[in-house]
Amino acid sequence: MKFYPYKRLNRPIALRVTSASLKLPDGSRDHLDTTAYSIPQRTVALGVAQHEDWVSARIGLSATLPPGATAPDAPWSDLCVLAVLTDGETNVRTAVELRQDAPDSKEWSGSVEVFHDDHVGRATLVAHAVATVDDVPGRAIAETDGDWIVDVAAEEPLGGLRLDVKQMSFSKSAREWLHAYSDAPWLVDASGRLPTVLVNADIEGFNDLLGGESGGIENKVHEMLVAQMATDVWTAVFHSSVGDLEIEPDGSPVFPTDWQGEVLREMLPDVIPGVHVEEALRQVHRRRTGDEGWVELQTRIHYAAVRRAGASKALANALRGLQQMNRGDEA
């Protein structure tokens, strides 16, 4: 634990990647899909578009300062927020100042330029809030509690949300509450520190199929099952996260500071499109606690979960596998 001889914020900065694009040699720009970065894994994979000759990458950023950062009676002035990209292999360090979205807003945004020739592998990205405290300028009053990774070569951001999978007999489990679900192939338990997929070992052959080691069409079915599990996890995590939000005195919900908050930030643009994530969270909270609108929102929540789980890609792969198998049988 570090001790500082001046007042600081007691919560970390929440840093998110909001966009990524590549500048190509002809001057054009390839805007990458959201699959190029993962908020839960805090990773950007710039190799997703498979351009080997890109010149630079522009990474859009959004940072949320903790409550109290912009309060009128805050014990600091000249507040600014910096995003810092560091590559330990090439000793390149890039710092950019983010812009405050509105007066007194806790939200700051901007972008950092990553030049291809300056990096060979993975760089780290963090944010710092700096201010004048006790007449001393340049003092750090908050920072992120974890690094983002910018990988210039990786083709996927480490697989998105990781699943903690546990296999057990539902009918014989020591967890007596599972006995009532003995005919379910799996359940999602979102009550713990991490979401867990409980796989029912009572269903004959199901565990082997989940292993995905038999090859052929079985592998495609395995992909579909994992995508469905991931969809269930994203949905469960979203509901558990919005169900226990901390509320500020003015009634505004506060993003959780752990990975649940990052999952919400990733899903909310699809749940309430076209607005800032802070406003999206407020709308979701009003609908969940109000008299109407919550049921209608379930379709958007499911859509956001399906996108994050990669269900469409898994289904397309399975269909291609079936078509190839059918063509082989006809021949």
Side-chain angles (χ1 to χ4, degrees):
M1 179 181 294
K2 294 183 179 179
F3 295 93
Y4 297 85
Y6 58 89
K7 292 186 176 179
R8 285 169 40 93
L9 292 164
N10 57 11
R11 291 188 181 183
I13 299 172
L15 179 66
R16 299 167 301 285
V17 168
T18 57
S19 64
S21 63
L22 298 178
K23 183 179 180 181
L24 305 181
D26 62 0
S28 63
R29 188 167 290 277
D30 184 1
H31 295 274
L32 304 182
D33 188 73
T34 55
T35 55
Y37 51 91
S38 168
I39 292 179
Q41 297 299 328
R42 297 186 181 184
T43 303
V44 183
L46 295 178
V48 66
Q50 298 184 339
H51 293 297
E52 296 183 357
D53 56 348
W54 56 273
V55 178
S56 64
R58 181 174 299 161
I59 299 175
L61 302 172
S62 177
T64 303
L65 299 190
T70 57
D73 58 349
W76 44 72
S77 60
D78 306 321
L79 176 65
C80 67
V81 179
L82 301 174
V84 181
L85 181 75
T86 305
D87 191 322
E89 293 188 56
T90 59
N91 291 323
V92 172
R93 182 181 176 90
T94 304
V96 295
E97 187 172 347
L98 304 183
R99 302 177 304 276
Q100 192 173 17
D101 290 356
D104 300 324
S105 172
K106 299 193 297 288
E107 301 297 320
W108 301 64
S109 58
S111 62
V112 61
E113 204 78 13
V114 182
F115 292 94
H116 195 184
D117 291 345
D118 290 343
H119 305 277
V120 295
R122 296 155 66 90
T124 59
L125 182 64
V126 297
H128 298 273
V130 180
T132 297
V133 188
D134 298 333
D135 297 324
V136 179
R139 281 183 158 173
I141 62 169
E143 54 278 317
T144 46
D145 62 351
D147 298 345
W148 270 79
I149 300 297
V150 179
D151 195 315
V152 300
E155 296 183 4
E156 60 176 299
L158 301 183
L161 183 63
R162 292 176 180 170
L163 304 183
D164 182 12
V165 180
K166 295 182 179 178
Q167 299 184 4
M168 62 186 65
S169 168
F170 283 15
S171 62
K172 302 176 183 177
S173 174
R175 305 181 187 189
E176 293 187 0
W177 64 271
L178 282 175
H179 298 175
Y181 306 101
S182 59
D183 58 343
W186 70 77
L187 293 173
V188 178
D189 182 4
S191 62
R193 189 178 62 86
L194 290 174
T196 302
V197 179
L198 305 177
V199 176
N200 192 354
D202 295 334
I203 299 179
E204 186 177 355
F206 186 49
N207 290 341
D208 294 335
L209 187 59
L210 283 178
E213 297 176 354
S214 54
I217 192 62
E218 287 82 1
N219 273 347
K220 306 303 180 183
V221 176
H222 161 80
E223 290 180 22
M224 289 186 61
L225 284 173
V226 171
Q228 181 59 56
M229 286 181 177
T231 299
D232 291 348
V233 170
W234 282 102
T235 304
V237 168
F238 185 90
H239 281 281
S240 66
S241 298
V242 299
D244 190 26
L245 292 170
E246 180 182 346
I247 307 300
E248 292 192 278
D250 64 357
S252 299
V254 178
F255 275 98
T257 57
D258 58 7
W259 62 272
Q260 286 185 321
E262 301 304 327
V263 167
L264 285 178
R265 292 180 187 279
E266 183 159 346
M267 291 184 70
L268 281 170
D270 283 327
V271 177
I272 305 289
V275 301
H276 194 278
V277 289
E278 298 285 343
E279 173 59 25
L281 183 63
R282 285 191 288 268
Q283 290 190 27
V284 168
H285 178 66
R286 283 197 298 268
R287 294 194 188 192
R288 192 188 68 82
T289 58
D291 295 330
E292 58 183 21
W294 180 238
V295 173
E296 291 78 6
L297 205 60
Q298 301 311 303
T299 300
R300 299 294 313 184
I301 295 172
H302 183 258
Y303 169 70
V306 166
R307 286 198 65 194
R308 296 306 176 280
S312 296
K313 180 180 179 181
L315 177 59
N317 288 340
L319 291 175
R320 279 196 297 269
L322 285 172
Q323 292 169 354
Q324 291 172 358
M325 184 176 67
N326 290 336
R327 285 194 295 266
D329 292 341
E330 292 172 358

